[in-house]
Amino acid sequence: MSRLLGAVGFAAAAVWTAAPLLPLLLWAFAGRWVYPALLPQEISAREWSRVADPEAPVITALGTSLGLALTTAAGATLLGALAARGLVLHRPPASDAIRLALLAPVLVPPFALAVGVQEVFVRVGLSDHLAGVALVHLVPALPYAVLVLLGAHATYDPREEQAVRTLGASRAAVLCHVTLPALAPALTAAATLAFLVSWSEYLMTVLVGGGVVTTLPLLLFSTAAGSGNRTATAVLGLLVVVPPVLLFTGASALLRRHRTLRVASGPGPTPSPPEGTSG
């Protein structure tokens, strides 16, 4: 019975998530669709060929968005891991104030935050530059990475590292064979969230990029608001949706594989030193 309820719940969630995408799919291939017809009267891939044109701005915007999102994911995950480890395992003075400062970007109204950050970036010469946009995407992404990794470090046992170190393992070996495997699910989740925050970021990209840096969400909004071309808007909308869906699919597969391996391996004995270390 519980399995049936789970299947029904999964199916309902899938329909709820996929239903809004159906109009996008129809419009993306609609050559002609006039009211009151329920379905397009003509199917065409004309807009897709325009998108694939190397001279079109879509390819460049897609590459820019991917580069920014991957950079943000890597930077936010690294900084979040360092911050979480320091706060949980070392407990510095005023740790509560540090946590509040790290989480402040999600507590402040987005527009006020964007305007303040833009003012700072203009003064230091980072406005209207790709590097400035990459840095500003870290501002809203880092708190999510910190939140995920704080929870992971709260249940992490550093004595495993100490045990391996006493057996002669180097710091690099401990990091590769103990720390990273134990925190892999949290690191995957943190990187996924940071990627999604950067991928969908619009306001800060507009203010700091100044129209010089064009990402896919900017192109989507400008097309939807300016051209009135529903087919082009639907194509861009699908291009914005596909990478997060693929990312979620890949991250879910990695997390399931990690959970399966952990269950199969069991509690196991005290860790032994990795190969190549002295004992």
Side-chain angles (χ1 to χ4, degrees), residues 52-73:
D53 186 353
E55 300 297 327
V58 180
I59 302 299
T60 302
L62 177 61
T64 301
S65 292
L66 284 173
L68 287 171
L70 291 172
T71 302
T72 302

Side-chain angles (χ1 to χ4, degrees), residues 6 32 34 43 60-61 65 67-68 81 84 87 90 95 97 142 169 189 211 230 238 245 256 259 263-265 274:
R32 181 173 175 269
V34 181
I43 301 299
T60 302
S65 292
L68 287 171
L87 287 171
H90 301 290
S95 59
L142 182 59
R230 293 186 180 182
L238 288 176
V245 171
R256 283 196 301 270
R259 190 182 302 113
V263 171
S265 62

Side-chain angles (χ1 to χ4, degrees), residues 42-102:
E42 179 185 337
I43 301 299
S44 172
R46 183 170 55 252
E47 285 298 332
W48 289 98
S49 62
R50 291 178 181 175
V51 165
D53 186 353
E55 300 297 327
V58 180
I59 302 299
T60 302
L62 177 61
T64 301
S65 292
L66 284 173
L68 287 171
L70 291 172
T71 302
T72 302
T77 304
L78 175 61
L79 295 176
L82 293 175
R85 184 179 180 88
L87 287 171
V88 175
L89 301 185
H90 301 290
R91 297 180 181 178
S95 59
D96 290 339
I98 297 174
R99 291 179 191 233
L100 182 61
L102 288 171

Side-chain angles (χ1 to χ4, degrees), residues 2 18 22 27 37 44 88 106 108 117 123 129 134 144 174 176 188 205-206 213 216-217 228 230 232 245 254 265 267:
S2 60
L22 182 58
W27 271 113
S44 172
V88 175
V106 298
V108 178
V117 171
R123 293 179 181 274
H129 292 286
Y144 294 98
V174 171
C176 294
T188 301
T205 306
V206 168
V213 179
L216 205 56
R230 293 186 180 182
V245 171
L254 287 175
S265 62

Side-chain angles (χ1 to χ4, degrees), residues 60-229:
T60 302
L62 177 61
T64 301
S65 292
L66 284 173
L68 287 171
L70 291 172
T71 302
T72 302
T77 304
L78 175 61
L79 295 176
L82 293 175
R85 184 179 180 88
L87 287 171
V88 175
L89 301 185
H90 301 290
R91 297 180 181 178
S95 59
D96 290 339
I98 297 174
R99 291 179 191 233
L100 182 61
L102 288 171
L103 301 180
V106 298
L107 304 177
V108 178
F111 186 78
L113 178 66
V115 171
V117 171
Q118 186 220 16
E119 179 67 22
V120 174
F121 276 42
V122 168
R123 293 179 181 274
V124 299
L126 287 172
S127 184
D128 301 344
H129 292 286
L130 188 61
V133 176
L135 286 175
V136 81
H137 280 198
L138 279 174
V139 175
L142 182 59
Y144 294 98
V146 170
L147 278 173
V148 171
L149 291 164
L150 278 175
H153 279 85
T155 58
Y156 177 69
D157 189 359
R159 290 176 297 182
E160 294 184 11
E161 296 181 6
Q162 297 168 5
V164 176
R165 287 283 290 164
T166 58
L167 294 173
S170 64
R171 292 185 181 274
V174 171
L175 177 65
C176 294
H177 296 278
V178 179
T179 309
L180 291 181
L183 297 175
L187 293 171
T188 301
T192 300
L193 285 174
F195 182 98
L196 295 176
V197 170
S198 173
W199 180 260
S200 60
E201 183 58 52
Y202 174 79
L203 183 58
M204 288 191 173
T205 306
V206 168
L207 292 177
V208 175
V212 176
V213 179
T214 302
T215 60
L216 205 56
L218 263 64
L219 202 58
L220 170 61
F221 284 119
S222 63
T223 301
S227 69
N229 187 336

